[in-house]
Amino acid sequence: MSLFHRHAPLGGPFNAAPVADEVKLLGPMQQIKLPERRFKDDDLIDFAIVGVGSAGGVLLQRLARAGFNVVGFEAGPFWDTERQWVSDEAGSHNLYWNDLRITGGKDPLALGSNNSGKGVGGGSVHWAAFVPRFHPSDFDVYTQDGVGADWPIRYEQIEPYYELLEREMPVAGPAYYPWGKPHGYPYGPHPMGEVGNILIKGCTALGIRVSAGGPVAILSASHGDRPHCVYRGFCIQGCKVGAKASTLVTHVPDAIAHGAEIRDNSMVARVSLGKDGRTDGILYYDLEGVEHFQRARAVLVCGYALETPRLLFNSACPGHEQGVANSSGTLGKYLMAQAGNVILGKFDDLVRQYKAPPAHALTEEFYETDSKRGFARGFAVQTVGPLPIAFSKQLMAAKGLWGWGLRREMMDYNHWSPMGLLGEILPWEDNRVEIADGRNGRQDARDRFGLPVAQVTFSLHDNDRKLIEFGKNKVIEIMYAAGAKEVVQEQRYAHLVGGCRMSATPGTGVCDKFGRTWDVPNLFVMDGSVFPTQGSANPGLTIQALAARTADYLITQKDDVFHSNKRNLVEPPCRHTLSPPGTFTKGVPRFR
């Protein structure tokens, strides 16, 4: 008998007895059993959470642990990663929000797979899980640089939540991270892929500091019931291994264990307001298109930068004719994307760009404003690892290839090294989300429920163009310094945020520093749409950290959230006891 047959696999026998439909497999080792529906539509629940993605998943878990009756409404399915996900680029299209959206402006954004997800876990199931923190300067952009806007919070108020979520995901990275406010990470860095080695080589030759092996929310060693990364390159197609963090695997299981309910395939159409001006619940459609109304004492909208403004616009009612929570006139405005140019370098030696987490090394040496450059703010340079289909599209855009010419270049796929520019595009009022309702010159376009879809307008401004040009040329310089024989680039964008920004006063934003809307005291917004500015860091960590902070605020306020119109803006205590089990207390102490 062979060694394989004498010893059972670590995660249990393969092809074991069929798993019941109510049991969801979240990787080869983790599974949860979904309880029967807890609440009826006419039950008065404490919190209705719209969208169970990065922010919604954290809020759901925190509030359930605190003992509230909470239901998460998700437009997409509750994923079973073993039975519904595939290790295939083309086969992973259903992870993304591919419903109709309208895009326009002088520099229209590509909408869909690059910026939003549909299903429990939201965009976190197909993000690259790169999780650098924002810098202290990101919260004072207007004060320091005279552009953009200031946040109504400071770095010190979110810092404890950065540390908290870095353990809950958890995050692998260097023991010392030199940029922003220097800090370290609780788990050791990943080994370098060759794309990371090329970034290190190019930066070192130019005297540029670089971080190796993270910060990335992918397990560098097994953790609880999740195995370590096997470096196969399918991170942004949904991690079937379970090594990559998403709220589907990090927070949702603990939420369900503590009584939360998730209604998947439930499209929320409108936030309802009662005669007293407070929200009394949400209207939603199930998978068959049947309309329901769920009563709730408070509503938390976590639909992200396009769907959150869309929902609030579609919830217009007497007294809120221009959309709910829009007395400031800022709803949908100040939408931001980050410059996401991909610079491709061709090398004589093999690179194998897929053999590592896509993002696992970076430099933030150009993150802060330098007046000598002639523009405000800055950018980061990160590794990326497109699989062949995505890579072929980049070559088509960068080199104008088609047919046999494209096929010939694709034969050298393993000799190309891509790098990503991640640059801060400033918040501009004319970059916005509206609804395609046929009014005021807009298109009339609706989804299968008859709801007007999001209509996006986006244009670059002079500062943005200068930043992109400088950043692109710097990455090209790094590529050649690393030994590239040919360098080309594709201009693109990443990471939509804004549209419901938080503000210090009611006239300048949609919600306060905890996401509580200025107009409706028991209606909250908490996702990337609340960002006043976006920095040059991937937004996922900041979204989840803000959600954990808002959960602490809601727990501290108790019944005042449901009944009082008073606005207490005192910072809540950071509750480590609400972390999923076996997370906050683990990890190696790092530099702070």
Side-chain angles (χ1 to χ4, degrees), residues 308-330:
T308 289
R310 176 197 177 196
L311 174 61
L312 297 180
F313 278 127
N314 280 333
S315 300
C317 59
H320 299 267
E321 287 80 6
Q322 303 305 313
V324 168
N326 193 24
S327 63
S328 66
T330 62

Side-chain angles (χ1 to χ4, degrees), residues 348-538:
D348 289 336
D349 294 334
L350 287 172
V351 176
R352 295 190 179 94
Q353 56 189 279
Y354 59 91
K355 296 294 286 183
H360 64 281
L362 83 161
T363 178
E364 290 185 343
E365 201 74 352
F366 307 98
Y367 195 106
E368 306 289 353
T369 296
D370 183 343
S371 59
K372 297 177 182 177
R373 300 184 202 139
F375 57 85
R377 306 307 293 159
F379 58 93
V381 183
Q382 304 177 351
T383 61
V384 293
L387 295 181
I389 294 175
F391 178 73
S392 67
K393 293 178 180 178
Q394 291 165 356
L395 280 183
M396 289 168 60
K399 300 186 70 173
L401 296 176
W402 188 253
W404 170 248
L406 178 61
R407 292 179 63 189
R408 176 62 191 87
E409 196 66 76
M410 286 299 295
M411 293 178 185
D412 290 330
Y413 169 74
N414 281 323
H415 287 267
W416 283 90
S417 174
M419 300 289 176
L421 166 70
L422 200 65
E424 179 172 359
I425 293 175
L426 295 172
W428 305 104
E429 186 175 3
D430 58 328
N431 289 337
R432 62 194 183 275
V433 184
E434 300 170 287
I435 53 171
D437 60 358
R439 301 179 185 179
N440 300 322
R442 298 191 293 267
Q443 297 189 39
D444 189 351
R446 298 171 187 267
D447 65 12
R448 70 185 186 93
F449 304 108
L451 303 172
V453 303
Q455 180 167 325
V456 178
T457 303
F458 188 82
S459 303
L460 295 174
H461 289 237
D462 185 55
N463 192 85
D464 309 323
R465 296 184 187 280
K466 289 179 179 179
L467 183 151
I468 292 170
E469 184 67 16
F470 183 95
K472 174 194 71 176
N473 291 334
K474 181 57 66 175
V475 183
I476 291 173
E477 183 182 359
I478 291 171
M479 278 290 195
Y480 280 123
K485 304 304 180 184
E486 177 186 0
V487 181
V488 297
Q489 73 100 27
E490 176 203 20
Q491 182 164 326
R492 56 190 293 277
Y493 306 97
H495 304 138
L496 296 182
V497 296
C500 293
R501 70 178 182 182
M502 61 169 69
S503 60
T505 60
T508 54
V510 171
C511 57
D512 67 22
K513 65 179 183 177
F514 297 110
R516 192 175 196 172
T517 60
W518 290 111
D519 299 351
V520 183
N522 62 336
L523 172 64
F524 287 72
V525 173
M526 185 41 58
D527 53 40
S529 70
V530 305
F531 286 23
T533 59
Q534 62 173 338
S536 298
N538 311 58

Side-chain angles (χ1 to χ4, degrees), residues 171-356:
V171 175
Y176 180 78
Y177 192 82
W179 298 290
K181 182 177 179 181
H183 56 278
Y185 290 95
Y187 292 87
H190 285 269
M192 295 305 298
E194 189 57 25
V195 176
N197 287 332
I198 287 169
L199 178 62
I200 292 170
K201 182 178 179 181
C203 286
T204 301
L206 298 173
I208 300 169
R209 294 183 298 177
V210 64
S211 172
V216 60
I218 297 175
L219 298 181
S220 53
S222 296
H223 181 87
D225 54 4
R226 292 168 53 203
H228 60 77
C229 182
V230 296
Y231 305 113
R232 66 199 189 101
F234 283 96
C235 303
I236 61 175
Q237 284 69 40
C239 177
K240 282 179 67 69
V241 174
K244 187 187 75 170
S246 70
T247 54
L248 175 66
V249 300
T250 58
H251 288 80
V252 165
D254 192 55
I256 291 174
H258 286 84
E261 179 186 333
I262 293 179
R263 290 186 204 160
D264 60 341
N265 296 306
S266 297
M267 177 65 184
V268 176
R270 183 167 58 86
V271 175
S272 172
L273 298 187
K275 294 180 180 179
D276 60 356
R278 305 173 68 84
T279 178
D280 54 9
I282 52 124
L283 182 147
Y284 71 98
Y285 293 97
D286 64 22
L287 189 60
E288 285 72 41
V290 177
E291 182 179 292
H292 301 263
F293 180 75
Q294 175 64 62
R295 299 172 65 219
R297 302 169 76 192
V299 173
L300 309 175
V301 182
C302 308
Y304 203 40
L306 300 186
E307 293 305 312
T308 289
R310 176 197 177 196
L311 174 61
L312 297 180
F313 278 127
N314 280 333
S315 300
C317 59
H320 299 267
E321 287 80 6
Q322 303 305 313
V324 168
N326 193 24
S327 63
S328 66
T330 62
L331 178 63
K333 296 180 180 178
Y334 304 104
L335 180 73
M336 293 167 280
Q338 287 172 318
N341 297 48
V342 175
I343 290 82
L344 306 155
K346 191 174 183 180
F347 292 79
D348 289 336
D349 294 334
L350 287 172
V351 176
R352 295 190 179 94
Q353 56 189 279
Y354 59 91
K355 296 294 286 183

